[in-house]
Amino acid sequence: KSEYTKKREWLYIFTLNDKIIKIGGTRDSLFGRTQSYLCGHHIKERGKTNKCSVTNAYVYNTFEFYLQNGYKIEMYGYELPITTVKKTICDETIDIVCQTFHAYESVFIQKYKESTKCLPPLCDNSCPEYRD
């Protein structure tokens, strides 16, 4: 539980019956990311407010469908190393923690695509700065 709730950058993978279906990244925590996906139940088709991202709605409702039909969904996480840069701001030198998960996510998605010739089913985007 302490790793799952640890507020750090993570690369994560969801599998459906042992097949990779989602590669993602977060700067919050694995817990925070899964809580965000839970907002996906707020779609208008359920009579809700529709106040959720398209990604969260799609992932949540896809997971619900497969879980209700007896599939196994698992999540794996890789805690990313902390990357810092020194910057001088107003004559004070400070260490700034860099956000790197977008680069990791994009590289891993690209490697998956090179290996399988397709994207994982729930991956339709990644940071354009790190992809072909």
Side-chain angles (χ1 to χ4, degrees), residues 84-97:
T84 60
V85 295
K86 287 194 181 301
K87 288 292 180 183
T88 303
I89 302 172
C90 297
D91 297 324
E92 184 178 338
T93 301
I94 61 170
D95 287 324
I96 300 173
V97 177

Side-chain angles (χ1 to χ4, degrees), residues 9-13 23-25 30 76-78 80 104-105 108:
E9 284 194 303
W10 293 86
L11 183 71
Y12 62 87
I13 293 174
I23 299 170
L30 296 175
Y76 299 88
Y78 170 65
L80 300 178
Y104 280 89
E105 176 185 44
F108 273 76

Side-chain angles (χ1 to χ4, degrees), residues 13-22 112:
I13 293 174
F14 280 109
T15 62
L16 176 71
N17 284 359
D18 302 319
K19 305 285 188 229
I20 294 173
I21 58 169
K22 173 78 174 153
Y112 180 95

Side-chain angles (χ1 to χ4, degrees), residues 38-131:
L38 289 176
C39 294
H41 79 280
H42 287 286
I43 58 173
K44 64 181 176 184
E45 291 84 356
R46 294 177 181 267
K48 305 285 184 167
T49 62
N50 210 36
K51 292 187 177 181
C52 63
S53 73
V54 172
T55 298
N56 288 348
Y58 187 65
V59 170
Y60 176 89
N61 290 285
T62 299
F63 282 9
E64 181 186 45
F65 171 83
Y66 283 105
L67 289 170
Q68 286 183 352
N69 285 284
Y71 289 78
K72 175 181 73 170
I73 297 174
E74 294 181 294
M75 180 184 206
Y76 299 88
Y78 170 65
E79 184 180 337
L80 300 178
I82 296 174
T83 302
T84 60
V85 295
K86 287 194 181 301
K87 288 292 180 183
T88 303
I89 302 172
C90 297
D91 297 324
E92 184 178 338
T93 301
I94 61 170
D95 287 324
I96 300 173
V97 177
C98 302
Q99 181 174 298
T100 62
F101 79 86
H102 286 110
Y104 280 89
E105 176 185 44
S106 297
V107 169
F108 273 76
I109 290 171
Q110 183 61 37
K111 294 294 183 189
Y112 180 95
K113 185 177 177 183
E114 288 170 9
S115 174
T116 65
K117 308 299 183 237
C118 64
L119 291 173
L122 297 181
C123 288
D124 63 352
N125 61 23
S126 58
C127 185
E129 292 181 28
Y130 302 104
R131 61 179 175 198

